[in-house]
Amino acid sequence: MVEIAKVPQLGQIVKILRGRDSGDYAVIVGLVDQRSVLIADGRTRKFDHPKKKNLLHLELQNETSDIVVNSLLETGRVTNGKLRHALAKYLPS
């Protein structure tokens, strides 16, 4: 059985598997190439300074934040508050 690779999308929630932030969740705010994306969480990693991560070090979740996607498409940016809201909505704690 062949596993179909998921394609990362803007606004998609990801779980970080490797690195200092392993176990945390973030939102994809940019696509670099086929292997890398830019992620931010609005708290420790702000939109103005996103982290470039290899897709092999991330677990793509099925959830995509419409608020983040619409903001990125309309203005090319997203507020850190919207990133925090998207993660809080996905991770009720």
Side-chain angles (χ1 to χ4, degrees):
M1 183 164 111
V2 176
E3 182 178 327
I4 298 172
K6 290 185 180 181
V7 178
Q9 299 176 354
L10 286 177
Q12 189 170 13
I13 309 290
V14 296
K15 181 177 182 182
I16 303 169
L17 301 177
R18 300 275 192 269
R20 183 184 316 188
D21 301 329
S22 63
D24 292 344
Y25 288 84
V27 181
I28 295 177
V29 295
L31 304 173
V32 179
D33 54 32
Q34 292 181 349
R35 299 177 58 152
S36 303
V37 294
L38 298 174
I39 61 170
D41 65 4
R43 247 181 248 104
T44 57
R45 186 55 72 174
K46 309 281 186 179
F47 175 77
D48 291 331
H49 300 287
K51 175 73 176 168
K52 181 179 175 183
K53 286 295 263 187
N54 188 324
L55 285 171
L56 296 176
H57 298 170
L58 300 172
E59 180 181 297
L60 300 176
Q61 306 298 306
N62 292 328
E63 185 74 24
T64 301
S65 173
D66 294 333
I67 296 170
V68 173
V69 173
N70 290 337
S71 182
L72 284 170
L73 293 177
E74 289 174 8
T75 64
R77 354 183 355 96
V78 63
T79 63
N80 293 312
K82 287 181 182 178
L83 291 173
R84 290 190 301 267
H85 175 74
L87 289 171
K89 186 176 174 184
Y90 178 73
L91 304 167
S93 47

